Structures are given as structure tokens and as C-alpha cells.
Amino acid sequence: MDGKHTGDSGRLRLAEAMKRCMARHGLEDITIKEITAEAGVSRQTFYHHFLDKYDLLQDYSFFSRMELYRMEN
């Protein structure tokens, strides 16, 4: 984890990582450590963007809606 991924790129990487982690374990069993390792970013990067995994879940929902919108148009 190099912590180089910031901005929207870091947010997207974290959202995608959360999706993969949720597929394996479900939301309640996921840790921030697991999400950041999966995303290849530091915990500092995580906390720069989000308060907790529930805050990230809201962002993940946003990215999912945006992807659906792109697919429809």
C-alpha cells in the first residue's frame, strides 16, 4: 500500500474493493484494513475520504448508480 492513490481514483478504488469484500464476507464482517488492502491504498487515504465503512457504502452506492446510468446511455 503506497498511499499514492487519492482523489476520485482513490475513492473509486475503495468502492470497488468494498464490493469485492462484501461479496466474500458481507458488510458487517468487513474491516477497514481489509478494504484498504484490497484497494491497494493506505488507511490514511481511506480516512481522508470516509468516516467509516458505512460512509464508503454510500459512495459505493453512488458509483453503482453512475455505472448503471452510463450503461443505459
Side-chain angles (χ1 to χ4, degrees), residues 1-72:
M1 292 181 282
D2 59 14
K4 292 179 186 172
H5 303 285
T6 58
D8 287 339
S9 171
R11 291 172 69 115
L12 181 58
R13 289 172 63 92
L14 286 161
E16 291 172 346
M18 182 170 202
K19 176 183 174 182
R20 292 188 298 271
C21 292
M22 282 178 44
R24 288 193 301 265
H25 304 294
L27 178 63
E28 293 304 317
D29 294 330
I30 299 171
T31 65
I32 302 305
K33 183 177 181 178
E34 180 181 6
I35 295 168
T36 55
E38 182 79 24
V41 300
S42 68
R43 288 176 56 146
Q44 180 179 3
T45 297
F46 180 92
Y47 287 111
H48 174 76
H49 295 292
F50 305 106
L51 297 173
D52 55 26
K53 65 183 177 183
Y54 302 103
D55 194 25
L56 171 56
L57 181 61
Q58 288 182 333
D59 221 48
Y60 165 72
S61 297
F62 170 77
F63 281 121
S64 295
R65 287 191 307 273
M66 291 299 294
E67 185 62 28
L68 287 173
Y69 176 78
R70 284 187 207 124
M71 291 171 58
E72 292 175 352

